[in-house]
Amino acid sequence: MKFHKVKQINGTLSVPGDKSISHRAVMFGALAEGTTEVHNFLKGADCLSTIQCFRQLGIDIEEDIQNQVIRIHGKGLYGLSPSSSILDVGNSGTTLRLISGILSGQPFESNLTGDSSIQKRPMNRVITPLSLMNADIKSVLGNGCAPLCINESSYHSTKSTLKGIHYNSPIASAQIKSSVLLAGLYAEGETSVTEPNVSRNHTELMLKEFGATLAVNNKTVTIQPEPRLFAQKVQVPGDISSAAYFLAAACILPNSELVIKDVGVNPTRDGIIDVLVSMGADITKENLKNQDGEAICDLRVKSSNLHGTTIEGGIIPRLIDEIPVIAVIACFAEGETIIKDATELKVKESNRIDVMAKQLNNMGANVIATEDGMIIHGVHKLTGTVIESKEDHRIAMSFAIASLKAEGETIIQGAECVNISYPEFYQDLQRLTSPY
Ligand code: S3P
């Protein structure tokens, strides 16, 4: 796909539903009794993989296209049935890691796989704690990655033999935390997870709405085994990780102003706003409200003169998926931006440190890839070139934003991977930008 420099970006948009919340709504709806209705569900490829997996596990899920509603006819915590074929999570790490926790508590064997990217992503981070809980879960090839086999031997007659643990997670990861907490629903005794820094807390907020007994104490979450969960109506907020591309575009382009409606600004997710404001961005939160525990608002963003900053420590999990686009923004900021403590970027859909640094430099940027992040010197000027998306949606969208201010033509190969989280991304971008 080809891109050219634009003059400005203006208008109002609604970004698609939050990916993390959409996944969880399907999973918890499947495990609840009754029909869960999900409004503003993200119909991106990752969340459709979650739907497909739960259909294979015997759950009836209706897509009411006209009303943009998904209905999940839940069968309760003990209502899943074995899939006759391998469960394919596609590109979705969230599906694979969370479903592993759920399937560890089932009285049947499950086999899971995904695309070539997912087959390279580390799964020991969930295999280790789930095994400590007594789950029989293995990487089939013994390389710590998918395909995975989860044996029914974790069951003893009709009762799960999972046992509750206290897990001190070495990584701040909502996928690890959620996987362990979901297995905890089936365990004997309570299960708790302590993280080095707090990661996104959608599982905690939503499981509570569905009737689970959870307690949060600083960086530790404790869950009690639960006999029943109950269907809910879920309204999915706009995804701040998708809004981030438009925040970036409005900040770096002159004479721009955007309003992004109904964006989820859960404090465990809104690190991008704090960072942009600390760089000098003009962003305001309007119509702030609370919806089922999730904070939502409209974001107004205007062109700004930005300066560099340092991003490190506890804020990293609050903006982990936004770092690629922050790297683009930093190219247009005065001075140096330092990103540290972000080694997790290496094991996302691609190695986001290497892929961003190398290709931004190909566009004329000044980026040094480090062991745990990047050092970016603002250059204010990029030049279009050929970019490989590496089939990573956040790479493709980040370079589409970079292209808006680049001289000449930018060609993004594999641009269609935005379908993973934001199928209408290019249409929205084209509608709101004014060409030269
Ligand atoms: C997610 C958690 C994050 C994030 C991913 C979605 C989730 O991953 O990068 O896009 O929905 O739980 P980690 O938990 O591995 O940091």
Side-chain angles (χ1 to χ4, degrees), residues 19-20 24 94 97 125 172-176 200 320-321 344 348:
K19 181 154 82 71
S20 296
R24 286 157 173 82
T94 308
R97 296 197 178 111
R125 54 181 59 201
S173 156
Q175 296 184 356
I176 299 174
R200 64 191 68 193
I320 188 73
D321 292 340
E344 275 297 293
K348 295 294 179 189

Side-chain angles (χ1 to χ4, degrees), residues 21-34:
I21 295 177
S22 296
H23 280 300
R24 286 157 173 82
V26 173
M27 294 183 183
F28 305 169
L31 302 179
E33 295 168 30

Side-chain angles (χ1 to χ4, degrees), residues 18-21 23-24 46 93-95 97-98 121 125 171-178 195 199-203 241 269 317 319-322 344-345 347-349 352 393-394:
D18 187 274
K19 181 154 82 71
S20 296
I21 295 177
H23 280 300
R24 286 157 173 82
D46 270 11
T94 308
T95 311
R97 296 197 178 111
L98 269 60
R121 296 184 64 189
R125 54 181 59 201
I171 309 163
S173 156
Q175 296 184 356
I176 299 174
K177 173 173 66 177
S178 304
E195 304 185 272
S199 64
R200 64 191 68 193
N201 66 356
H202 305 300
T203 295
S241 298
R269 288 286 299 282
L319 48 66
I320 188 73
D321 292 340
E322 288 67 75
E344 275 297 293
L345 290 179
V347 291
K348 295 294 179 189
E349 287 84 328
R352 289 180 178 164
H393 53 137
R394 304 214 186 277

